[in-house]
Amino acid sequence: MIQTERKEEFRIANWVLRGLLLVMPFIAVYASKGMTLLLGVGACAVLLDPSARKAVVKGSLRWPVLTFAPLLLYALATAPWAVNSAYTVLMTARVLGVLAAALILWRTIDALDESMLRNLQRYALVGGLLLLCLVGAELSTDLAFMSWLKNLERAPGKNDYVTYINSGVSLLALFSPQIALITHERLGKVTALSFLLVAALILHLGYASTPVLGFVLAIALILAVILFEGRALKLFGIAAIVGVLAMPFAFENYLVRRGGLQGLEHSIGWSSLHRLHIWSFALERWHEKPLIGWGLDASRDVPGGRTPVPGFVGVEYMPLHPHNGALQSWLELGFVGTLAFVFVLWRLARGVAGQTNHKAMMAGAALMGGYAAQGMLSFGLWQNWWLASLALGALMMLLMRGPKATVSDALAEWQVEDFGKSRRLTVNGSSHETPYSKGVIEQIVARKGALRAVKYLTLNRSRIAYVKPLSEWLTRQGGVGLRILEVGCEAGHITEYLNAQSFVGEIFAYDVDKAFVDVVELKRYDLKLGKVARIDHLTSEQTLDLPYPDASFDVIIVLAVVEHLPFENRHRHVDAIWRKLKPGGIIAFLDTPNRWYPFETHSVGIPLIARLSPEPAFLYARVMGRLKGVSFAEFMRPGTGWRNASYSECLPKGRMVVAEDISREAGYGFPFFLRHTAGRWRKGLKLIFWGPLAWTCTRLGIPFEFFAPNLQLVFRKGTDYEGA
């Protein structure tokens, strides 16, 4: 009943969005300048739906205002000194109109439920196939229908003739990777790959190389997301920002080293040479107003732009725009406006990287790749039809995201029912069976919240996967009655697992979190964990002198702990752990984020932050918007894991102790890294990208863990402290 009412509420919006997706291919191929009109009409038509109007009004403006306001305000401020002030104001208004239309459609799609989104995915798929067929048909018939439609026989030359299809080819390159992702979702891998191959073939038939570059970059970014998820997009965003900021200086350095552009006509094509002349002219004009620029979209009117290029027929120095987004930003907006522009780029990259749905993140990555190549090398930054096309691409990313979650832990309704042998936790109508007692469940809910408590109701298989190779290796070694120390027992999943292993004699465990220690104590009695001898709650200071005899444990397991130890005296905590291990004993440091890996994955999630000192790291994280409402004191408190940990920090420092690295022998190293990957595609890509590095490490005798995202280290202790 609720579903039916919701469909009735968004009935007009649904029909408008379907029509937009089906009409878009024809506009893209035969009237690309109409993409702006299509976006605007779609937004206005959607507002005829009362439910859509309500969704638009209720939506927060904080993100779009923070993202685009600095750039638009500065663009408007350039009007007084722009070459054509009225035109600059008009262009700013047009860009604002495109953003407003995109926001209306964004809010509407964001309010739809899953069945509506899946229905729109079908229409997007049909629209993508239409675009593929239309562009393919025109290119394979030498623009037969377009020639008749636009009377292209009167075109003065071959180049003018073929440019009519370039916009359609560019939009095919922009949208086809996204359509392939929808195809994969609806029709499977084979169909998606076939779609991509056909799209690649059609793009190869085109008359421009930039769309092909955008298509390749989009696919590369999708693969990067498969491998590294949002971290790849953040790194790409940083690279794009560096490229934009460095562009005029890098190109100027190129011109200085070459002594100009003389002599290039014999080594590159005339189109590329013309492009270099345009960039050189833009660079000269930028030097006249490096700080404030000439004004938004003033490139077409800068002095000397209509002057013919020597050696070319009918070719000007500045045909509308520089065909280089970075140089156009510097030329028109100067240093101040370019800072606002790269701020927009970073906010967009970070927004895509923050998508919780993996397919949506890949769709956004494809859009970023297409824009980076085509937007920066072909089209003007402010061309309205191009901005409208990017907005429609962003809406297709939203179709992949799924319905937005709105329930928080604070609002979640939950209850526990006891059925004798099992219990049931119901959260917002969703039920979850568990063998744990009501007391355990209530303590977990109190510690983690009702929504997050669900994953603690059964054995955490992903956490156990880190210990399983060590367990199997110890079993093969014939271990019996071993004394185990578990450092950081958390909710007791590893404790439960170890209790069931044949090589285990006694288990000792401790944690600095009192709530988790209480949970494990309850589990100890409820589940009759007979091998658990002792569970301790220790403060951070107490972990410097553990309450166990020295050299008393055969095996010590340290899972996701070292990165949380106080950085200043971390070696003392690690020494204290090693001191409790017997000579010949085994110690395992597992699932420990590697500081030398460029992507910080454990805490704030910003590339390279783990290598910075506290003050720059805090400023870096604040600038990237990752520490809202967090003070420097909170950022630096013991237990925060943003510094990660290194290989050397897992070794004892207090006195000389011989430690043999047996990680690979115990089942870790590259085989574990490859095995611990979900999906054959991601596993295959990891093998391709990481395999050569792993082979090199093996040949050189270097631990693979030096380069892996997480450290999985197993050591055998050779010499005791007292014997050193």
Side-chain angles (χ1 to χ4, degrees):
M1 185 64 183
I2 294 175
Q3 185 88 337
T4 304
E5 289 175 359
R6 190 167 178 81
K7 285 184 179 179
E8 289 297 322
E9 286 178 354
F10 285 92
R11 185 175 182 180
I12 297 175
N14 257 307
W15 280 108
V16 170
L17 291 170
R18 292 171 188 171
L20 188 148
L21 291 170
L22 292 179
V23 172
M24 183 270 293
F26 298 95
I27 300 295
V29 176
Y30 298 110
S32 59
K33 302 298 185 291
M35 295 293 283
T36 310
L37 181 63
L38 178 66
L39 185 74
V41 170
C44 293
V46 157
L47 290 178
L48 297 175
D49 192 316
S51 303
R53 288 201 301 272
K54 187 185 297 184
V56 171
V57 172
K58 285 175 62 179
S60 171
L61 291 175
R62 185 174 182 272
W63 192 90
V65 168
L66 286 177
T67 302
F68 298 105
L71 179 62
L72 291 175
L73 288 174
Y74 183 78
L76 192 61
T78 63
W81 63 80
V83 180
N84 188 335
S85 299
Y87 183 75
T88 295
V89 173
L90 177 62
M91 281 303 300
T92 305
R94 286 180 178 176
V95 173
L96 181 60
V98 171
L99 292 175
L103 182 62
I104 290 169
L105 294 174
W106 181 283
R107 296 297 186 205
T108 302
I109 295 176
D110 208 27
L112 303 181
D113 63 25
E114 187 172 1
S115 64
M116 297 180 194
L117 292 175
R118 290 185 67 81
N119 188 39
L120 288 175
Q121 284 180 12
R122 287 196 290 269
Y123 281 85
L125 180 57
V126 173
L129 291 172
L130 279 173
L131 179 61
L132 188 76
C133 293
L134 290 173
V135 175
E138 292 293 350
L139 289 175
S140 60
T141 60
D142 199 24
L143 281 62
F145 181 71
M146 185 175 285
S147 299
W148 171 83
L149 183 68
K150 297 189 176 186
N151 197 21
L152 295 184
E153 293 82 1
R154 299 178 183 176
K158 176 71 174 175
N159 187 55
D160 295 324
Y161 178 78
V162 300
T163 52
Y164 282 93
I165 194 62
N166 281 351
S167 297
V169 174
S170 296
L171 293 183
L172 175 64
L174 185 70
F175 293 137
S176 55
Q178 294 184 310
I179 299 300
L181 290 170
I182 296 176
T183 306
H184 179 270
E185 180 91 357
R186 307 307 301 263
L187 302 176
K189 293 182 209 173
V190 176
T191 310
L193 285 173
S194 302
F195 180 90
L196 280 177
L197 289 173
V198 173
L201 177 62
I202 291 174
L203 292 174
H204 180 68
L205 295 174
Y207 305 104
S209 58
T210 310
V212 177
L213 177 62
F215 179 80
V216 171
L217 186 55
I219 300 302
L221 274 181
I222 290 175
L223 296 177
V225 169
I226 293 174
L227 281 173
F228 306 112
E229 299 183 340
R231 302 186 297 277
L233 297 184
K234 290 178 182 177
L235 189 62
F236 180 77
I238 292 173
I241 289 171
V242 171
V244 170
L245 294 177
M247 178 59 71
F249 310 102
F251 185 63
E252 188 170 40
N253 181 59
Y254 168 77
L255 291 177
V256 170
R257 285 192 304 159
R258 277 206 87 262
L261 299 176
Q262 294 78 14
L264 282 176
E265 62 273 8
H266 303 297
S267 56
I268 62 175
W270 78 268
S271 178
S272 299
L273 182 59
H274 179 215
R275 192 70 53 92
L276 291 178
H277 277 289
I278 296 172
W279 295 358
S280 179
F281 174 79
L283 195 63
E284 292 175 9
R285 288 292 173 263
W286 166 68
H287 276 298
E288 297 177 21
K289 296 184 179 181
L291 292 179
I292 59 175
W294 288 84
L296 183 77
D297 209 33
S299 296
R300 65 186 68 215
D301 296 316
V302 293
R306 300 303 182 192
T307 304
V309 180
F312 289 82
V313 179
V315 174
E316 302 170 339
Y317 271 115
M318 185 58 69
L320 300 182
H321 54 80
H323 295 273
N324 183 311
L327 284 179
Q328 184 177 358
S329 175
W330 281 98
L331 175 66
E332 297 177 358
L333 303 178
F335 174 72
V336 178
T338 299
L339 289 181
F341 175 61
V342 297
F343 176 72
V344 171
L345 293 182
W346 171 248
R347 293 276 292 178
L348 293 174
R350 191 163 159 262
V352 175
Q355 295 296 314
T356 54
N357 184 290
H358 205 243
K359 288 282 174 62
M361 190 188 299
M362 288 192 284
L367 190 65
M368 287 172 60
Y371 173 74
Q374 299 190 76
M376 291 294 167
L377 296 177
S378 286
F379 303 117
L381 285 178
W382 323 115
Q383 285 185 286
N384 292 162
W385 75 269
W386 176 243
L387 292 178
S389 301
L390 292 173
L392 291 171
L395 296 179
M396 279 202 270
M397 178 193 80
L398 197 60
L399 293 181
M400 302 292 294
R401 190 171 79 173
K404 193 174 180 180
T406 56
V407 180
S408 66
D409 268 311
L411 302 176
E413 298 180 358
W414 62 279
Q415 65 173 352
V416 181
E417 299 173 89
D418 195 330
F419 296 98
K421 291 186 177 180
S422 66
R423 263 62 53 192
R424 177 187 297 160
L425 172 65
T426 303
V427 182
N428 293 331
S430 179
S431 298
H432 309 272
E433 298 285 337
T434 177
Y436 300 146
S437 68
K438 185 177 181 181
V440 169
I441 297 171
E442 290 174 344
Q443 291 219 31
I444 293 175
V445 170
R447 174 65 178 81
K448 304 299 291 186
L451 295 175
R452 296 179 65 191
V454 171
K455 70 176 186 178
Y456 290 89
L457 299 182
T458 56
L459 278 180
N460 189 332
R461 299 294 175 187
S462 62
R463 195 169 173 84
I464 289 171
Y466 290 104
V467 181
K468 193 172 182 181
L470 175 65
S471 172
E472 293 173 347
W473 180 76
L474 289 170
T475 301
R476 291 195 301 271
Q477 298 299 307
V480 177
L482 303 181
R483 285 169 58 89
I484 313 291
L485 175 61
E486 184 186 355
V487 178
C489 56
E490 204 196 25
H493 291 142
I494 302 301
T495 315
E496 291 180 61
Y497 174 77
L498 291 173
N499 189 79
Q501 304 309 306
S502 60
F503 62 85
V504 175
E506 288 183 299
I507 301 171
F508 294 75
Y510 71 87
D511 205 295
V512 296
D513 191 317
K514 180 67 164 60
F516 277 142
V517 171
D518 291 341
V519 167
V520 180
E521 281 285 9
L522 275 175
K523 285 185 176 183
R524 177 185 178 186
Y525 294 104
D526 291 346
L527 302 178
K528 297 180 173 55
L529 304 180
K531 295 181 181 179
V532 178
R534 180 173 168 181
I535 307 291
D536 291 299
H537 170 239
L538 304 177
T539 65
S540 182
E541 282 297 316
Q542 288 173 323
T543 59
L544 291 171
D545 186 16
L546 298 173
Y548 315 109
D550 289 352
S552 58
F553 292 101
D554 300 292
V555 178
I556 298 179
I557 297 174
V558 189
L559 178 63
V561 168
V562 178
E563 69 274 17
H564 295 292
L565 297 176
F567 186 74
E568 291 72 19
N569 59 353
R570 182 172 291 178
H571 68 280
R572 293 179 58 200
H573 292 268
V574 174
D575 282 355
I577 297 170
W578 274 85
R579 194 177 299 118
K580 306 306 170 184
L581 185 64
K582 295 178 180 178
I586 304 298
I587 185 168
F589 296 90
L590 306 174
D591 193 24
T592 302
N594 185 3
R595 185 181 305 131
W596 290 100
Y597 188 66
F599 301 102
E600 199 283 323
T601 62
H602 183 68
S603 180
V604 292
I606 302 175
L608 305 176
I609 192 171
R611 301 300 307 166
L612 299 178
S613 56
E615 290 78 8
F618 180 71
L619 180 61
Y620 179 28
R622 288 295 294 269
V623 169
M624 298 305 177
R626 301 296 291 178
L627 297 176
K628 296 176 182 178
V630 177
S631 66
F632 182 71
E634 292 174 300
F635 179 67
M636 287 300 297
R637 67 176 173 80
T640 55
W642 64 271
R643 293 178 187 265
N644 294 351
S646 66
Y647 185 98
S648 62
E649 286 175 341
C650 296
L651 294 169
K653 298 291 189 303
R655 302 181 191 177
M656 181 64 70
V657 173
V658 177
E660 179 188 0
D661 187 338
I662 58 169
S663 304
R664 188 174 180 86
E665 179 186 339
Y668 295 94
F670 181 67
F672 175 82
F673 175 71
L674 191 62
R675 191 168 61 250
H676 198 67
T677 304
R680 286 179 293 178
W681 280 46
R682 296 185 70 186
K683 192 172 293 186
L685 288 171
K686 273 191 176 181
L687 183 61
I688 293 171
F689 286 101
W690 289 88
L693 175 62
W695 180 85
T696 304
C697 289
T698 302
R699 298 286 293 181
L700 298 177
I702 301 172
F704 171 74
E705 283 71 18
F706 281 179
F707 309 97
N710 291 309
L711 301 172
Q712 319 294 342
L713 305 174
V714 182
F715 299 104
R716 179 184 284 116
K717 183 177 180 181
T719 305
D720 198 358
Y721 276 78
E722 298 300 323

